Amino acid sequence: MKFKIILMILSICINSLLYSNLWEIKQDDTGNFQTIQEGIVAAANNDTILVYPGTYYENIDYLSKSLTITSLYLFTPQDSLINQTIIDGNQQGRCVTIQNSENATIIGFTIRNGKTMNHVLGSGGGVLIKYVSNCVIEKCKIINNKAAGGGGVCIFAISSSNSNVLLKGNTIANNYASLTGGGINAVGNSLTLSFSGAELNNVYLNYSPTASDISFYTLSPIDVIVDTFTVTNPDYFYLIQPEENTFSCQHAKMQEIDQDLFVSPNGNDNNSGLTPEDPLQTIAWAQRLIKRNDDNPHTIHLANGIYSPSLNNQIFPLNVKYGVKYIGESKEGTILDGDNETFFFNEWSRDQNEFAKLVMKNITMKN
């Protein structure tokens, strides 16, 4: 079934190139337009928008059209073209919105610095796919985006019509979500999401208080097949998905540490964190590094000082890792400060038999 879906999507892409207009986007004014959004406004269904290298500070919207938007990578498949052709949201909004389209494809971009944090509407800091019949994201580097749900990519398909989405050869990394799915959040009773087995994706080092890398709330089973994930055997700290889903990866981006770790506001996340004299700085990075050990639970030791986003790059709310304890040096001296913007911890239970119990001692939480 999934093979047929992939063939169908590829056929749509090929036909769109053969029977459409081609609009060239060049920042030196030698193309049809200088901005991608101008090309989208001018384009008709099934047109192709070819974007030449440059940094495009835009928040583009497909305007419900069936379009292929691609860098020169489509014709010259070199990774350097992905790095040189950038859609930068400039922290002013989501980078790419694809909504209510029949067929939509985006190929060969770096998509970065998107931001949409509203808890109701703030989904997909890098890319939002919503109620799209067929969509392909191919050979894109989706990095450093922020959203409430799906920091890198958010997919919605809650309707009577089916949505088929293919992820092919992308890297989704270092994105953040304040609610769920730091890398990818997929929600829908009518969604078929496919991870290409030929052109593998990478999903790693994203962060969220629920499912740091991927969260799935779908009815159809999803086979997560990736080249590189944050760790090789993720639990629900990294990945939330229905039991019938499968997961496989070839490489881990980091190796977890099977012992206590030490954190200080004056530390450095490049330190080992293995001793009080060589502490990490952020609690979130310590959480990623520390290995879950059900037989011998570990502790993140917090030195005295103020831990806050504004003072020392702390990330709140924190994703509670199963079995890990958070112990401050002293109740009066170890202070978590939310800068009047956030709560501190989020607990998630995969089921009633495995709840990530939050164990804390000697910590003051304020603001």
Side-chain angles (χ1 to χ4, degrees), residues 56-98:
Y56 296 82
Y57 293 96
E58 299 191 53
N59 310 100
I60 70 169
D61 189 327
Y62 274 56
L63 300 177
S64 302
K65 298 179 181 180
S66 294
L67 300 173
T68 295
I69 301 179
T70 178
S71 71
L72 295 181
Y73 182 92
L74 179 65
F75 302 105
T76 308
Q78 299 176 353
D79 289 346
S80 60
L81 289 169
I82 300 172
N83 296 330
Q84 294 167 13
T85 315
I86 302 166
I87 301 174
D88 191 312
N90 201 29
Q91 306 291 326
Q92 299 301 305
R94 180 185 304 115
C95 293
V96 180
T97 299
I98 307 173

Side-chain angles (χ1 to χ4, degrees), residues 296-347:
N296 182 27
H298 296 309
T299 297
I300 295 176
H301 299 276
L302 304 178
N304 280 341
I306 299 175
Y307 297 81
S308 83
S310 61
L311 291 178
N312 38 61
N313 305 311
Q314 303 299 321
I315 299 175
F316 298 132
L318 293 162
N319 185 348
V320 179
K321 182 169 277 192
Y322 187 94
V324 173
K325 294 175 284 187
Y326 304 82
I327 307 298
E329 183 177 345
S330 70
K331 184 174 69 173
E332 293 76 16
T334 306
I335 300 170
L336 308 187
D337 190 330
D339 293 335
N340 293 309
E341 293 184 355
T342 179
F343 57 98
F344 295 101
F345 289 91
N346 189 71
E347 299 182 84

Side-chain angles (χ1 to χ4, degrees), residues 133-178:
S133 297
N134 299 288
C135 184
V136 179
I137 305 178
E138 180 177 347
K139 290 293 183 179
C140 287
K141 185 182 293 184
I142 302 172
I143 57 174
N144 299 325
N145 300 286
K146 298 179 180 180
V153 178
C154 188
I155 305 167
F156 277 115
I158 306 174
S159 66
S160 57
S161 58
N162 293 328
S163 291
N164 302 305
V165 178
L166 172 64
L167 302 179
K168 182 179 179 183
N170 305 288
T171 293
I172 301 171
N174 297 307
N175 301 286
Y176 169 75
S178 62

Side-chain angles (χ1 to χ4, degrees), residues 262 267 271-280:
F262 296 84
N271 292 343
S272 70
L274 298 177
T275 66
E277 294 74 32
D278 196 37
L280 305 170

